[in-house]
Amino acid sequence: MATIWNIDPTHSEVQFKVKHLVISTVTGAFKKFSGSIEADGENFDGAKAQFSLDVDSIDTNQADRDGHLKSDDFFAAAQHPAITFKNGVLKKKSADSYSLTGDLTVRDVTKSVVLDVEFGGIMKDPWGNIKAGFELNGKINRKDFGLSWSALTEAGGMVVGDDVKLHLNVEVAKS
């Protein structure tokens, strides 16, 4: 029988980084998200994973920029309130290394993506709950998902880079 591990949002974070003016990096996060892993007990090789991000919870520490990201120029949050990852499968590469392949959907555009996963281990917390930790990293091209807004500087440089780095620290609780 499969074991369900649910994301503990209190001990997890979903971040992204994108180049601004090609010279600096802007970091943002999604503050509301959920997801789970369906595994064979505590064996994560072949486990199924899925998650969902609340687009309206985007936070780059700058309200005007957050508003622009929620607009039709980028995520179109009113029409597309969630970013989803479905059909994910973890594949063990070494003792603490996995790959996660699945379908990422942004603005109704779905593409297969692969994330590198570092397994942090399994631990029982002080209240008797069994937890597992994962750090996930990857990179996508925003234009592949219809996030094509762009502007050029007077010198011809891009305002927003195309590559978006993804970084997730996830703690899941065995249910």
Side-chain angles (χ1 to χ4, degrees), residues 19-37:
K19 286 287 188 185
H20 181 251
L21 300 176
V22 190
I23 58 169
S24 66
T25 299
V26 170
T27 300
F30 289 93
K31 299 297 189 177
K32 294 181 183 174
F33 48 86
S34 62
S36 63
I37 299 173

Side-chain angles (χ1 to χ4, degrees), residues 7-19:
I7 289 180
D8 175 357
T10 305
H11 299 104
S12 301
E13 59 188 12
V14 176
Q15 297 180 319
F16 62 91
K17 294 180 182 293
V18 66
K19 286 287 188 185

Side-chain angles (χ1 to χ4, degrees), residues 116-160:
D116 294 320
V117 181
E118 182 180 327
F119 177 51
I122 297 174
M123 183 69 61
K124 185 182 285 191
D125 72 13
W127 300 274
N129 302 302
I130 306 297
K131 304 279 188 98
F134 299 90
E135 185 173 323
L136 300 88
N137 289 289
K139 184 168 65 170
I140 61 169
N141 184 311
R142 67 184 177 90
K143 289 184 176 177
D144 289 346
F145 294 92
L147 304 177
S148 57
W149 181 89
S150 192
L152 297 178
T153 65
E154 284 183 23
M158 289 182 54
V159 173
V160 179

Side-chain angles (χ1 to χ4, degrees), residues 23-124:
I23 58 169
S24 66
T25 299
V26 170
T27 300
F30 289 93
K31 299 297 189 177
K32 294 181 183 174
F33 48 86
S34 62
S36 63
I37 299 173
E38 183 179 322
D40 180 13
E42 295 181 1
N43 174 16
F44 293 102
D45 191 22
K48 299 174 186 169
Q50 60 85 27
F51 64 82
S52 179
L53 309 174
D54 178 352
V55 174
D56 204 45
S57 74
I58 197 165
D59 183 359
T60 63
N61 290 320
Q62 215 289 327
D64 289 343
R65 179 172 46 221
D66 295 345
H68 190 205
L69 289 170
K70 293 175 193 178
S71 78
D72 289 346
D73 284 345
F74 286 96
F75 291 109
Q79 297 85 7
H80 309 285
I83 295 172
T84 61
F85 181 85
K86 295 181 180 178
N87 305 314
V89 177
L90 280 162
K91 183 175 181 184
K92 191 171 192 167
K93 297 185 336 187
S94 69
D96 61 353
S97 176
Y98 292 78
S99 64
L100 175 60
T101 304
D103 300 324
L104 181 66
T105 302
V106 180
R107 286 186 66 139
D108 278 343
V109 176
T110 303
K111 301 278 183 188
S112 179
V113 298
V114 179
L115 302 174
D116 294 320
V117 181
E118 182 180 327
F119 177 51
I122 297 174
M123 183 69 61
K124 185 182 285 191

